[in-house]
Amino acid sequence: MGDLKSQPSKNRLFGPLTGKVAAITFANGGDNLGIYIPYFTTQGNASLLYIAIMFLLMVAVWCFLAYRLASFPAILRILQKYGSVIVPLVFIALGISIMLHGDSFAYLMRLFG
């Protein structure tokens, strides 16, 4: 991806990395299809509309908060220096938390134990 400072942008929200971030986001979301398609098929039209509106609203909120948080110079320096370590650790911790709270480990123990 190169040095972010070497890639100037007139529009800070849609810079040169926006397309790359969007592509990675879409690629990483493919595994969710197996989870959410069965859920969505059980919902009515009004419920689906509510879910879609809330999803889009919350994506906008999270993107705005992430943009504002990363604009603080101290946080930006930390992310530039340690981001390649912090991001995988956060995803691993999130995955373990989801598995613990979703009783995945207990299920695996019953399945194989």
Side-chain angles (χ1 to χ4, degrees):
M1 289 209 278
D3 185 17
L4 293 178
K5 292 181 182 178
S6 68
Q7 301 174 3
S9 173
K10 292 182 182 9
N11 187 339
R12 296 175 55 87
L13 185 58
F14 296 104
L17 297 178
T18 303
K20 291 179 183 179
V21 171
I24 291 170
T25 302
F26 288 127
N28 285 336
D31 61 335
N32 292 329
L33 294 175
I35 296 170
Y36 291 115
I37 288 175
Y39 173 72
F40 290 142
T41 58
T42 64
Q43 302 301 310
N45 289 338
S47 180
L48 285 174
L49 181 63
Y50 175 76
I51 291 168
I53 290 170
M54 288 305 298
F55 172 77
L56 293 173
L57 179 68
M58 292 308 298
V59 166
V61 168
W62 281 111
C63 287
F64 174 76
L65 290 174
Y67 175 76
R68 294 294 298 158
L69 184 65
S71 68
F72 289 110
I75 293 176
L76 183 59
R77 280 192 299 276
I78 291 170
L79 290 175
Q80 285 177 336
K81 188 172 183 179
Y82 302 109
S84 62
V85 174
I86 292 172
V87 171
L89 290 177
V90 168
F91 281 132
I92 291 169
L94 182 62
I96 291 171
S97 174
I98 290 169
M99 291 180 75
L100 286 172
H101 290 96
D103 295 327
S104 296
F105 291 120
Y107 175 76
L108 289 173
M109 293 303 287
R110 286 193 308 272
L111 188 65
F112 296 113

